[in-house]
PDB file of all heavy atoms in Angstrom:
ATOM      1  N   ARG A  60    -136.637 262.762 167.379  1.00 44.00           N
ATOM      2  CA  ARG A  60    -137.828 262.034 167.784  1.00 44.00           C
ATOM      3  C   ARG A  60    -138.131 261.127 166.616  1.00 44.00           C
ATOM      4  O   ARG A  60    -137.967 261.513 165.464  1.00 44.00           O
ATOM      5  CB  ARG A  60    -138.962 263.022 168.045  1.00 44.00           C
ATOM      6  CG  ARG A  60    -140.137 262.391 168.749  1.00 44.00           C
ATOM      7  CD  ARG A  60    -141.120 263.416 169.241  1.00 44.00           C
ATOM      8  NE  ARG A  60    -141.600 264.213 168.124  1.00 44.00           N
ATOM      9  CZ  ARG A  60    -142.211 265.376 168.273  1.00 44.00           C
ATOM     10  NH1 ARG A  60    -142.401 265.891 169.443  1.00 44.00           N
ATOM     11  NH2 ARG A  60    -142.634 266.038 167.221  1.00 44.00           N
ATOM     12  N   ALA A  67    -137.333 267.069 170.958  1.00 40.00           N
ATOM     13  CA  ALA A  67    -138.462 266.536 171.691  1.00 40.00           C
ATOM     14  C   ALA A  67    -138.272 266.529 173.202  1.00 40.00           C
ATOM     15  O   ALA A  67    -139.227 266.694 173.926  1.00 40.00           O
ATOM     16  CB  ALA A  67    -138.753 265.110 171.219  1.00 40.00           C
ATOM     17  N   TYR A  68    -137.057 266.338 173.690  1.00 42.00           N
ATOM     18  CA  TYR A  68    -136.853 266.132 175.114  1.00 42.00           C
ATOM     19  C   TYR A  68    -135.626 266.876 175.606  1.00 42.00           C
ATOM     20  O   TYR A  68    -134.698 267.122 174.856  1.00 42.00           O
ATOM     21  CB  TYR A  68    -136.644 264.631 175.408  1.00 42.00           C
ATOM     22  CG  TYR A  68    -137.741 263.774 174.880  1.00 42.00           C
ATOM     23  CD1 TYR A  68    -137.590 263.073 173.695  1.00 42.00           C
ATOM     24  CD2 TYR A  68    -138.952 263.671 175.562  1.00 42.00           C
ATOM     25  CE1 TYR A  68    -138.616 262.278 173.196  1.00 42.00           C
ATOM     26  CE2 TYR A  68    -139.974 262.886 175.068  1.00 42.00           C
ATOM     27  CZ  TYR A  68    -139.802 262.193 173.893  1.00 42.00           C
ATOM     28  OH  TYR A  68    -140.807 261.417 173.405  1.00 42.00           O
ATOM     29  N   LYS A  69    -135.640 267.203 176.891  1.00 44.00           N
ATOM     30  CA  LYS A  69    -134.452 267.734 177.547  1.00 44.00           C
ATOM     31  C   LYS A  69    -134.093 266.784 178.677  1.00 44.00           C
ATOM     32  O   LYS A  69    -134.961 266.328 179.417  1.00 44.00           O
ATOM     33  CB  LYS A  69    -134.707 269.116 178.130  1.00 44.00           C
ATOM     34  CG  LYS A  69    -134.752 270.196 177.085  1.00 44.00           C
ATOM     35  CD  LYS A  69    -134.778 271.547 177.723  1.00 44.00           C
ATOM     36  CE  LYS A  69    -134.705 272.619 176.668  1.00 44.00           C
ATOM     37  NZ  LYS A  69    -134.669 273.944 177.256  1.00 44.00           N
ATOM     38  N   PHE A  70    -132.806 266.481 178.793  1.00 43.00           N
ATOM     39  CA  PHE A  70    -132.330 265.586 179.829  1.00 43.00           C
ATOM     40  C   PHE A  70    -131.282 266.277 180.672  1.00 43.00           C
ATOM     41  O   PHE A  70    -130.542 267.115 180.165  1.00 43.00           O
ATOM     42  CB  PHE A  70    -131.666 264.351 179.212  1.00 43.00           C
ATOM     43  CG  PHE A  70    -132.588 263.519 178.401  1.00 43.00           C
ATOM     44  CD1 PHE A  70    -132.448 263.460 177.031  1.00 43.00           C
ATOM     45  CD2 PHE A  70    -133.588 262.793 178.999  1.00 43.00           C
ATOM     46  CE1 PHE A  70    -133.293 262.682 176.276  1.00 43.00           C
ATOM     47  CE2 PHE A  70    -134.438 262.009 178.242  1.00 43.00           C
ATOM     48  CZ  PHE A  70    -134.286 261.958 176.885  1.00 43.00           C
ATOM     49  N   ILE A 175    -137.231 256.283 175.705  1.00 93.00           N
ATOM     50  CA  ILE A 175    -137.918 257.320 176.484  1.00 93.00           C
ATOM     51  C   ILE A 175    -139.041 256.704 177.309  1.00 93.00           C
ATOM     52  O   ILE A 175    -139.220 257.030 178.487  1.00 93.00           O
ATOM     53  CB  ILE A 175    -138.472 258.428 175.557  1.00 93.00           C
ATOM     54  CG1 ILE A 175    -137.333 259.141 174.839  1.00 93.00           C
ATOM     55  CG2 ILE A 175    -139.343 259.409 176.325  1.00 93.00           C
ATOM     56  CD1 ILE A 175    -136.316 259.799 175.739  1.00 93.00           C
ATOM     57  N   GLN A 179    -139.429 256.870 181.320  1.00 88.00           N
ATOM     58  CA  GLN A 179    -140.653 257.381 181.935  1.00 88.00           C
ATOM     59  C   GLN A 179    -141.262 256.352 182.871  1.00 88.00           C
ATOM     60  O   GLN A 179    -141.743 256.697 183.947  1.00 88.00           O
ATOM     61  CB  GLN A 179    -141.665 257.798 180.861  1.00 88.00           C
ATOM     62  CG  GLN A 179    -141.262 259.062 180.151  1.00 88.00           C
ATOM     63  CD  GLN A 179    -142.186 259.411 178.995  1.00 88.00           C
ATOM     64  OE1 GLN A 179    -142.646 258.538 178.269  1.00 88.00           O
ATOM     65  NE2 GLN A 179    -142.446 260.691 178.824  1.00 88.00           N
ATOM     66  N   PRO A 186    -141.295 262.800 188.244  1.00 46.00           N
ATOM     67  CA  PRO A 186    -141.576 263.499 186.988  1.00 46.00           C
ATOM     68  C   PRO A 186    -140.573 264.597 186.646  1.00 46.00           C
ATOM     69  O   PRO A 186    -140.402 264.944 185.498  1.00 46.00           O
ATOM     70  CB  PRO A 186    -142.976 264.083 187.199  1.00 46.00           C
ATOM     71  CG  PRO A 186    -143.171 264.102 188.669  1.00 46.00           C
ATOM     72  CD  PRO A 186    -142.349 262.981 189.224  1.00 46.00           C
ATOM     73  N   GLN A 187    -139.846 265.124 187.634  1.00 51.00           N
ATOM     74  CA  GLN A 187    -138.865 266.169 187.343  1.00 51.00           C
ATOM     75  C   GLN A 187    -137.652 265.644 186.609  1.00 51.00           C
ATOM     76  O   GLN A 187    -136.864 266.398 186.085  1.00 51.00           O
ATOM     77  CB  GLN A 187    -138.434 266.882 188.634  1.00 51.00           C
ATOM     78  CG  GLN A 187    -137.514 266.077 189.518  1.00 51.00           C
ATOM     79  CD  GLN A 187    -138.223 265.045 190.385  1.00 51.00           C
ATOM     80  OE1 GLN A 187    -139.423 264.841 190.297  1.00 51.00           O
ATOM     81  NE2 GLN A 187    -137.468 264.399 191.253  1.00 51.00           N
ATOM     82  N   SER A 188    -137.469 264.331 186.533  1.00 44.00           N
ATOM     83  CA  SER A 188    -136.282 263.770 185.904  1.00 44.00           C
ATOM     84  C   SER A 188    -136.352 263.774 184.382  1.00 44.00           C
ATOM     85  O   SER A 188    -135.355 263.603 183.729  1.00 44.00           O
ATOM     86  CB  SER A 188    -136.042 262.341 186.394  1.00 44.00           C
ATOM     87  OG  SER A 188    -137.064 261.507 185.953  1.00 44.00           O
ATOM     88  N   LEU A 189    -137.510 264.000 183.816  1.00 45.00           N
ATOM     89  CA  LEU A 189    -137.658 264.026 182.366  1.00 45.00           C
ATOM     90  C   LEU A 189    -138.596 265.188 182.029  1.00 45.00           C
ATOM     91  O   LEU A 189    -139.746 265.181 182.437  1.00 45.00           O
ATOM     92  CB  LEU A 189    -138.240 262.713 181.856  1.00 45.00           C
ATOM     93  CG  LEU A 189    -138.432 262.572 180.367  1.00 45.00           C
ATOM     94  CD1 LEU A 189    -137.085 262.621 179.654  1.00 45.00           C
ATOM     95  CD2 LEU A 189    -139.135 261.282 180.047  1.00 45.00           C
ATOM     96  N   THR A 190    -138.092 266.171 181.315  1.00 42.00           N
ATOM     97  CA  THR A 190    -138.892 267.336 180.992  1.00 42.00           C
ATOM     98  C   THR A 190    -139.245 267.297 179.521  1.00 42.00           C
ATOM     99  O   THR A 190    -138.346 267.325 178.668  1.00 42.00           O
ATOM    100  CB  THR A 190    -138.107 268.626 181.304  1.00 42.00           C
ATOM    101  OG1 THR A 190    -137.707 268.581 182.675  1.00 42.00           O
ATOM    102  CG2 THR A 190    -138.957 269.842 181.037  1.00 42.00           C
ATOM    103  N   LEU A 191    -140.516 267.235 179.199  1.00 42.00           N
ATOM    104  CA  LEU A 191    -140.958 267.275 177.807  1.00 42.00           C
ATOM    105  C   LEU A 191    -141.064 268.728 177.382  1.00 42.00           C
ATOM    106  O   LEU A 191    -141.555 269.574 178.126  1.00 42.00           O
ATOM    107  CB  LEU A 191    -142.305 266.582 177.639  1.00 42.00           C
ATOM    108  CG  LEU A 191    -142.327 265.107 177.968  1.00 42.00           C
ATOM    109  CD1 LEU A 191    -143.745 264.578 177.830  1.00 42.00           C
ATOM    110  CD2 LEU A 191    -141.389 264.343 177.067  1.00 42.00           C
ATOM    111  N   LEU A 192    -140.618 269.044 176.185  1.00 36.00           N
ATOM    112  CA  LEU A 192    -140.741 270.413 175.654  1.00 36.00           C
ATOM    113  C   LEU A 192    -142.162 270.699 175.250  1.00 36.00           C
ATOM    114  O   LEU A 192    -142.883 269.869 174.804  1.00 36.00           O
ATOM    115  CB  LEU A 192    -139.828 270.583 174.443  1.00 36.00           C
ATOM    116  CG  LEU A 192    -138.340 270.534 174.733  1.00 36.00           C
ATOM    117  CD1 LEU A 192    -137.564 270.634 173.430  1.00 36.00           C
ATOM    118  CD2 LEU A 192    -137.924 271.648 175.650  1.00 36.00           C
TER     119      LEU A 192
END
Side-chain angles (χ1 to χ4, degrees):
R60 192 169 58 197
Y68 306 100
K69 285 189 175 182
F70 297 110
I175 297 301
Q179 288 174 322
Q187 74 280 4
S188 66
L189 181 64
T190 304
L191 297 177
L192 293 177

